[in-house]
Amino acid sequence: MELLSATLVRVKPSPTIAVTTKAAELKAAGRDVIGLGAGEPDFDTPQNIKDAAVAAIASGKTKYTAVDGIPELKQAICEKFKRDNGLDYKPSQVSVASGGKQILYNALMATMNPGEEVVIPAPYWVSYPDMVLLAGGEPVIAPATLEDDFKLTPEALEAAITPKTKWFIFNSPSNPTGAGYSREELKGLTDVLLRHPHVWVMSDDMYEHLAYDGFEFCTPAQIEPALYDRTLTVNGVSKAYAMTGWRIGYAAGPEKLIGAMRKIQSQSTSNPCTISQWAAIEALNGTQDYIAPNNEMFVRRRNLVVSMLNEIEGVTCPVPEGAFYVYPSIAGLIGKTSAGGAKIENDEAFATALLEETGVAVVFGAAFGLSPNFRVSYATSDAALKEACGRIQAFCAGCV
């Protein structure tokens, strides 16, 4: 009898976590390493949010809570959806979990049957396909190419949908590309979905507030109200509020789906961290004044990285609308050999050689389902980004 399940054999570890771990190991061994793999802001959690957490501890709010969130937090989430997205939800339509990843996992585990399919645009966040596999489903990858600014076209979505499609996973602004869909672009996708009433929509809006250059964020149920009853709108406090380690994600959707997700959570983790829930209330209800200045810093960093990478012969780096990633193509470097003797056969070989020869850690594009590319997270200091991009320039210049 095998120890490991057949389901687990289908799944691979997270490549982004692997890159971050490898960079930390090299740094601990004394190497001069600049990590550009982690998807988290380098800002500290705002003081008012930390104060709310301390106050919760001081007042004894340290016991078990309702499985999927305290009433006060669910109410704050309902108000957020109304205020920011024009969406009306009741607390009974809201689920709170230990991060956005658990929300997505719960929804897939609660709904997928063997052989059912999930359409996922590529490039995608690395965990989407593997969570589908864990839930017994089959990921169907729909490419969103550089030529289309890494945005899925209505034609590509239409071609990917079959009678077995259960979900369409949508992410804007995107991890890993930072691409954001305009209202018109999203309307093109929702028009397709209206023609396929058996397809549910999972909208991952985690980077909603990280939008630049006048880009106006929108979410599917907001653009097409007819999709409201088959859409799970997912969000969290991790990115905009620099609360990655607090582990609070949330979603709103039909009560039947939310109830099924609650059942999954009741037999897995039970409630999210009590203290983090009270901190998340302050994040949603408190001042939002720091978001705009933080975004200004992200824009400056984005522009620095895009400019320096586009100076490299063989590299093409689009300007993203949001999040804190760029996803440059290295098509012009494939087949070359680095100064250290590494053959650049693909983007994984590029990222490996870059780390070994320069100490710069990036994530290779194949992990996100579209090659030949690599992802840079610019959620770090200007000085570190300038140094890292300089090393990437020198590395690429040495490839012949």
Side-chain angles (χ1 to χ4, degrees):
M1 183 181 294
E2 290 289 337
L3 172 63
L4 301 182
S5 74
T7 298
L8 190 61
V9 172
R10 306 173 76 198
V11 177
K12 59 185 181 298
S14 168
T16 52
I17 293 176
V19 167
T20 303
T21 301
K22 177 66 173 177
E25 290 172 352
L26 290 173
K27 188 173 290 188
R31 285 286 304 277
D32 177 17
V33 174
I34 303 175
L36 303 180
E40 63 178 350
D42 60 326
F43 311 130
D44 192 15
T45 303
Q47 190 62 46
N48 63 306
I49 298 173
K50 294 192 288 185
D51 289 344
V54 172
I57 295 172
S59 60
K61 293 171 178 170
T62 56
K63 307 298 184 183
Y64 291 133
T65 75
V67 166
D68 62 346
I70 57 177
E72 294 88 346
L73 179 52
K74 288 191 174 188
Q75 183 59 44
I77 291 167
C78 290
E79 292 169 3
K80 175 261 177 274
F81 277 124
K82 181 64 174 177
R83 178 179 67 242
D84 294 345
N85 312 113
L87 294 173
D88 289 304
Y89 291 108
K90 299 177 293 185
S92 58
Q93 293 178 276
V94 172
S95 179
V96 184
S98 299
K101 182 177 284 190
Q102 188 183 15
I103 287 286
L104 299 169
Y105 180 82
N106 286 349
L108 292 167
M109 289 297 293
T111 58
M112 296 301 298
N113 296 300
E116 292 179 338
E117 298 172 348
V118 177
V119 174
I120 303 171
Y124 47 69
W125 179 47
V126 294
S127 292
Y128 293 148
D130 288 293
M131 285 195 285
V132 171
L133 292 169
L134 279 172
E138 299 296 333
V140 174
I141 307 306
T145 64
L146 175 64
E147 291 72 25
D148 291 318
D149 299 319
F150 298 127
K151 299 175 192 179
L152 189 68
T153 64
E155 294 76 17
L157 174 58
E158 185 79 58
I161 293 174
T162 76
K164 295 181 179 180
T165 305
K166 173 65 73 72
W167 286 99
F168 167 56
I169 297 182
F170 177 75
N171 177 216
S172 172
S174 159
N175 175 6
T177 68
Y181 289 72
S182 69
R183 286 179 170 269
E184 293 72 24
E185 290 165 337
L186 183 50
K187 184 63 167 60
L189 299 181
T190 60
D191 285 349
V192 173
L193 293 165
L194 287 177
R195 295 195 291 271
H196 299 279
H198 67 291
V199 179
W200 284 65
V201 183
M202 189 179 295
S203 184
D204 182 350
D205 298 352
M206 193 62 68
Y207 296 91
E208 170 184 6
H209 292 300
L210 303 180
Y212 316 129
D213 303 332
F215 172 74
E216 183 182 354
F217 171 83
C218 50
T219 193
Q222 175 186 17
I223 293 298
E224 181 47 75
L227 292 176
Y228 175 89
D229 289 331
R230 53 185 170 109
T231 297
L232 182 71
T233 303
V234 182
N235 214 313
V237 297
S238 296
K239 310 300 182 180
Y241 304 102
M243 294 177 68
T244 50
W246 298 74
R247 307 309 301 137
I248 293 292
Y250 59 82
E255 287 190 22
K256 183 177 181 179
L257 172 60
I258 296 298
M261 293 166 60
R262 183 183 307 118
K263 185 184 293 186
I264 296 288
Q265 192 159 308
S266 73
Q267 298 296 356
S268 55
T269 62
S270 196
N271 68 270
C273 171
T274 310
I275 307 308
S276 296
Q277 291 189 63
W278 286 101
I281 293 172
E282 176 60 25
L284 295 175
N285 289 347
T287 179
Q288 310 291 298
D289 289 349
Y290 42 78
I291 292 178
N294 286 355
N295 282 0
E296 289 178 8
M297 282 188 273
F298 279 138
V299 168
R300 185 180 69 242
R301 294 169 176 182
R302 179 202 64 179
N303 293 345
L304 168 67
V305 171
V306 169
S307 174
M308 292 188 71
L309 293 181
N310 275 328
E311 291 174 3
I312 302 172
E313 185 176 352
V315 173
T316 302
C317 186
V319 181
E321 289 88 353
F324 38 67
Y325 310 106
V326 295
Y327 198 66
S329 166
I330 56 165
L333 297 175
I334 298 300
K336 295 188 175 184
T337 301
S338 74
K343 185 75 169 179
I344 310 300
E345 297 176 338
N346 51 44
D347 49 39
E348 185 171 5
F350 171 88
T352 299
L354 182 69
L355 178 57
E356 292 177 349
E357 296 182 28
T358 74
V360 175
V362 300
V363 187
F364 57 93
F368 305 101
L370 190 73
S371 295
N373 297 75
F374 66 98
R375 190 192 76 172
V376 167
S377 168
Y378 53 84
T380 190
S381 71
D382 295 46
L385 291 170
K386 187 173 184 179
E387 173 65 22
C389 288
R391 295 185 194 182
I392 296 172
Q393 287 179 334
F395 174 83
C396 293
C399 293
V400 296

